[in-house]
Amino acid sequence: MSGLMGAAGDNGAGPSPGKRIAFFIKESPWYPIWQFAVHAYLVLTACRVGLMLWQWDRVGGDFLRILRDGLRMDTVMICYLVAFPVLMAPFLNGFRRTHGLWRLFAAFWFSASLCFLLVMETATPFFILEYDTRPNRLFVEYLVYPREVFTMLLTGYKAELLVGFVMVTAVLFFSCRNYPSLVRPRASWGGISRLLALPLIGLLVFAGARSSMGHRPANASTVAFSSDHLVNSLSLPSGYTLLDAVYRMKDEADASKIYGRMAVDRMLEVVRDNALGDAEDFSSEAIPTLHRFTPVAERKVPLNLVILLEESLGAEFVGRMGGLPLTPHLDALAEEGLFFDRLYATGTRSVRGIEAVITGFFPTPARSVVKLGKSQNRFFSLASFLKTKGYKTRFVYGGEADFDNMKAFFLGNGFDEVIEEKDFEEYRFKGSWGVCDEDLLSRTHQVLEGEGETPSFTLVFSSSNHSPFEFPDNAIDLYEEPKNTVNNAVKYADHAIGQFFEKAKKSSYWDRTLFLVVADHNSRVYGDSLVPIERFRIPALIIGPGVEPEVYNTLASQADLPPTLLSLMGLDGQTPMIGRDLMKMPEGVAGRAVMQFYQNQAYMEGRQVVVLQPGGVHRQFSYDGGELTEGETDPVLVEKALAHAQWASWSYSNRLYRMP
């Protein structure tokens, strides 16, 4: 009590109650922890307010609610960060023998924690611009490719990186100087006082981390209130959204745990019926969706297959789809082949597009099968099927093919050859993501021109239309200034397509090759809907021998393209694909598409959309004119949505998506 008595005034009356409380807190072993909490609240609140002002058109009248919920979730995050120091403080802080150790610990732990929070908040605007939400598991997945990511950031975001670096450096300097000085040099609290206070303080931290008196602790769903996913995410600190996403990755592979279960027999029955195959075609017990198909075309000579997978080419960039006038070459080519006007991507990542177009697999809440362990070999792909028909198979990419695990996945599932950045001895231009699309397609033309009579399958994946949108100077008349924008990059990518087809039409392989030009996904999928349907619409064009010029206006999915290609190539056989042969669609049958948007999955049939949400929440909407209008749920449509979601997870987990 001597320290406390010494704080009394000259008149001997002792300090005021306020001063007593302040002295009590300041002299406690936990004083640095209280200070860290205050600093963390200030950082997180300031960043949240900035984000809300930036996104004011979407936040609007929900400003105070987001601020209130944000303080609650910030408390959860801070309590998790201080839990360990709270337990250690009474045993280390204030004792002579452990004083130095606690000072070192405080400097490291609290400085690292505060910098972590600030780094995540600093990265948030960039992530929102790209993915329209706070950082999630994609943030971690991209960190395993530091060269591409840092090159992209250094090229396209120099000023922003400089500001972020200065902020983090300043906070780190402040932390390292501030927190050690907060450690009390003497034991103002006795051992009994510490032991008596520890359970109470520990209980407060536990209550703050749980933030709920209910059956379940507070989580992201607790503060979700809007159909706009970005607005919901603003209530959460970015450090929380990242760690929560990483933690939940262990459950993402099983859609039935997320969306709800249905009996496997019924699931298979629904999936088979909706694949529009005859019941007797599904005759394999070992591979439940394996079935024989009959093509619509008859070919005396096997056709080559070339798929041009275009990076981030959404409908809003394509003139003939009502978008900007950025694709004159693709628009002109569409007059010569089968153009799909109502085709929808299955996801928002390149690997999701690869998954659909190359394997015909439907999306799940998990990562794409391109990156999952059980699909690295013996997983069905067009390449593995075509190899059984005597085809040579290859993947051509202008960057490093190990990005997103593409190289390992392709080579493990039917591709014979991978041509990547290191194999381009000559090129016109190289950017952050590799050689430009002109170089990529020029090399593709050379490879195809040099082939013999053996049929081949070539997958070509472009990259110029990717942030920071780098392409050769003077290649095109710019659509806008400055040069490195998404609109200019789309126009350049279209220019490269035009050059390629101009060469192809004069080549030796033109008359014996079927071409598919299709986007992997849209650019920057965002919107104020649970699933922004309009942002999943993408172009696709099939052009080649015997393909009559036509516009296909029925709703279709990326996963329908592989069986359609095989049908047009005149190839029969057995596959486990449940996508539809669009050349054999019965009259009166509505098209359907499945779209994965983070944890939500949409099943669209005609104009009706069922959205599956975590926790078994199912909502149905009608889609018209780019808007979703909620209505009553149709049990039949909900069953179809659940069946397709569960089938994908189930067949992957049990390794049932393969050749016999």
Side-chain angles (χ1 to χ4, degrees):
M1 296 289 293
S2 59
L4 183 58
M5 294 298 296
D10 294 335
N11 58 10
S16 65
K19 289 184 177 180
R20 287 175 181 268
I21 294 173
F23 183 84
F24 179 80
I25 294 175
K26 189 172 183 179
E27 292 296 311
S28 77
W30 296 279
Y31 183 61
I33 300 173
W34 313 141
Q35 288 293 300
F36 165 77
V38 171
H39 299 151
Y41 276 121
L42 291 174
V43 167
L44 295 174
T45 301
C47 291
R48 179 174 291 107
V49 170
L51 290 174
M52 287 192 288
L53 293 175
W54 175 40
Q55 298 290 335
W56 186 257
D57 58 330
R58 295 169 70 169
V59 171
D62 295 318
F63 184 93
L64 292 179
R65 178 171 185 169
I66 294 173
L67 195 62
R68 179 200 68 195
D69 291 345
L71 289 173
R72 179 182 182 182
M73 297 310 295
D74 291 348
T75 300
V76 172
M77 183 74 204
I78 292 168
C79 285
Y80 275 113
L81 290 175
V82 303
F84 182 69
V86 162
L87 295 176
M88 297 301 297
F91 304 105
L92 295 178
N93 192 10
F95 295 114
R96 290 188 179 88
R97 293 183 179 181
T98 57
H99 178 68
L101 178 62
W102 179 251
R103 284 174 59 90
L104 182 64
F105 177 85
F108 170 77
W109 187 278
F110 299 126
S111 298
S113 297
L114 196 61
C115 282
F116 167 72
L117 296 176
L118 183 61
V119 166
M120 293 308 305
E121 296 299 323
T122 304
T124 297
F126 306 121
F127 203 86
I128 289 177
L129 284 172
E130 192 71 21
Y131 298 107
D132 202 41
T133 191
R134 280 188 183 266
N136 53 26
R137 64 181 174 84
L138 299 181
F139 190 92
V140 176
E141 291 179 8
Y142 269 127
L143 288 181
V144 299
Y145 308 104
R147 189 182 75 87
E148 288 87 352
V149 172
F150 289 136
T151 301
M152 178 183 70
L153 292 175
L154 288 172
T155 304
Y157 304 98
K158 292 185 179 68
E160 293 88 345
L161 282 175
L162 179 60
V163 172
F165 177 78
V166 171
M167 291 174 59
V168 172
T169 301
V171 167
L172 186 61
F173 179 78
F174 165 81
S175 301
C176 290
R177 289 179 59 87
N178 182 65
Y179 292 122
S181 66
L182 298 175
V183 176
R184 301 294 92 193
R186 58 190 178 84
S188 301
W189 283 36
I192 296 179
S193 300
R194 295 164 183 260
L195 292 177
L196 290 175
L198 178 59
L200 177 60
I201 295 175
L203 181 62
L204 289 174
V205 172
F206 174 80
R210 200 173 192 279
S211 189
S212 172
M213 297 295 290
H215 180 65
R216 293 181 177 87
N219 53 40
S221 297
T222 305
V223 296
F225 65 93
S226 173
S227 60
D228 186 339
H229 59 280
L230 175 62
V231 172
N232 286 334
S233 73
L234 291 179
S235 298
L236 306 166
S238 291
Y240 179 93
T241 60
L242 177 68
L243 296 176
D244 182 66
V246 171
Y247 173 76
R248 292 183 182 277
M249 285 173 66
K250 64 182 179 63
D251 294 326
E252 287 182 345
D254 191 348
S256 64
K257 291 183 179 179
I258 299 175
Y259 303 136
R261 296 182 181 275
M262 64 186 303
V264 172
D265 290 344
R266 180 56 183 163
M267 171 198 73
L268 290 173
E269 182 181 359
V270 172
V271 166
R272 288 167 173 171
D273 287 346
N274 281 271
L276 303 183
D278 295 330
E280 57 270 19
D281 291 337
F282 296 91
S283 58
S284 173
E285 294 184 4
I287 308 175
T289 59
L290 188 71
H291 63 285
R292 180 166 295 280
F293 65 92
T294 304
V296 296
E298 294 184 5
R299 305 285 185 181
K300 295 182 179 179
V301 178
L303 293 182
N304 298 324
L305 175 61
V306 175
I307 296 179
L308 304 185
L309 192 63
E310 290 293 312
E311 173 71 47
S312 304
L313 184 58
E316 68 266 29
F317 302 116
V318 181
R320 69 171 295 120
M321 300 180 78
L324 297 174
L326 302 175
T327 58
H329 297 287
L330 182 60
D331 293 345
L333 286 167
E335 302 293 334
E336 305 174 31
L338 178 60
F339 187 80
F340 297 87
D341 194 60
R342 291 188 64 205
L343 184 81
Y344 288 81
T346 59
T348 62
R349 292 279 320 270
S350 297
V351 284
R352 189 67 79 190
I354 290 171
E355 174 184 74
V357 174
I358 304 305
T359 74
F361 200 65
F362 276 60
T364 72
R367 294 178 294 176
S368 163
V369 294
V370 176
K371 304 182 73 172
L372 296 179
K374 293 182 179 179
S375 51
Q376 295 308 301
N377 57 74
R378 297 199 68 201
F379 195 83
F380 176 84
S381 74
L382 282 176
S384 61
F385 177 83
L386 291 173
K387 279 181 68 67
T388 66
K389 303 293 182 179
Y391 277 66
K392 293 187 295 186
T393 57
R394 69 174 63 88
F395 172 53
V396 186
Y397 179 53
E400 294 185 358
D402 59 355
F403 182 78
D404 267 346
N405 199 51
M406 293 186 296
K407 186 174 185 179
F409 177 80
F410 288 143
L411 292 179
N413 291 297
F415 283 82
D416 299 318
E417 179 185 17
V418 172
I419 299 174
E420 55 182 320
E421 180 182 330
K422 64 181 179 60
D423 300 312
F424 286 75
E425 298 176 357
E426 298 180 0
Y427 51 85
R428 177 183 178 185
F429 177 85
K430 181 185 290 187
S432 301
W433 292 93
V435 302
C436 65
D437 286 2
E438 285 178 280
D439 294 322
L440 173 72
L441 293 173
S442 178
R443 178 63 180 271
T444 301
H445 170 70
Q446 293 173 6
V447 170
L448 294 172
E449 190 73 283
E451 287 186 328
E453 297 299 320
T454 303
S456 66
F457 165 43
T458 304
L459 169 63
V460 187
F461 185 22
S462 74
S463 60
S464 290
N465 183 30
H466 194 297
S467 177
F469 309 118
E470 300 167 287
F471 55 90
D473 292 333
N474 305 314
I476 58 170
D477 294 328
L478 298 180
Y479 177 76
E480 61 191 6
E481 293 287 350
K483 174 191 170 190
N484 299 113
T485 67
V486 62
N487 289 336
N488 286 331
V490 169
K491 188 174 182 182
Y492 170 73
D494 178 73
H495 164 74
I497 291 173
Q499 277 194 341
F500 172 74
F501 275 97
E502 183 179 351
K503 296 176 184 177
K505 289 178 180 179
K506 302 174 184 177
S507 71
S508 61
Y509 58 84
W510 174 254
D511 292 332
R512 52 187 177 88
T513 302
L514 188 71
F515 298 88
L516 167 65
V517 182
V518 63
D520 59 351
H521 57 83
N522 202 329
S523 175
R524 295 180 180 174
V525 180
Y526 60 89
D528 58 2
S529 303
L530 293 176
V531 177
I533 304 294
E534 68 279 4
R535 293 289 177 176
F536 283 78
R537 185 173 170 231
I538 58 173
L541 169 67
I542 297 177
I543 187 170
V547 180
E548 297 296 328
E550 182 183 353
V551 177
Y552 190 88
N553 287 312
T554 303
L555 174 66
S557 169
Q558 265 181 324
D560 295 326
L561 293 175
T564 303
L565 289 171
L566 295 181
S567 183
L568 288 171
M569 294 171 71
L571 298 172
D572 62 0
Q574 289 183 307
T575 81
M577 293 188 291
I578 62 171
R580 295 169 171 176
D581 177 357
L582 300 178
M583 299 296 95
K584 298 166 65 176
M585 280 286 289
E587 290 187 14
V589 175
R592 57 101 170 88
V594 179
M595 291 155 271
Q596 190 74 40
F597 188 60
Y598 303 118
Q599 287 281 293
N600 296 340
Q601 185 172 118
Y603 181 89
M604 185 175 179
E605 187 172 277
R607 295 291 181 182
Q608 294 299 306
V609 181
V610 169
V611 177
L612 306 178
Q613 296 176 262
V617 178
H618 313 139
R619 297 169 67 181
Q620 186 166 333
F621 304 83
S622 60
Y623 176 73
D624 190 25
E627 295 184 358
L628 291 173
T629 304
E630 189 163 8
E632 294 185 3
T633 56
D634 176 1
V636 174
L637 199 60
V638 170
E639 187 180 48
K640 291 180 182 179
L642 275 174
H644 284 81
Q646 182 169 316
W647 170 82
S649 291
W650 178 81
S651 59
Y652 163 78
S653 297
N654 292 283
R655 299 193 175 188
L656 297 176
Y657 196 73
R658 54 184 172 83
M659 298 284 287

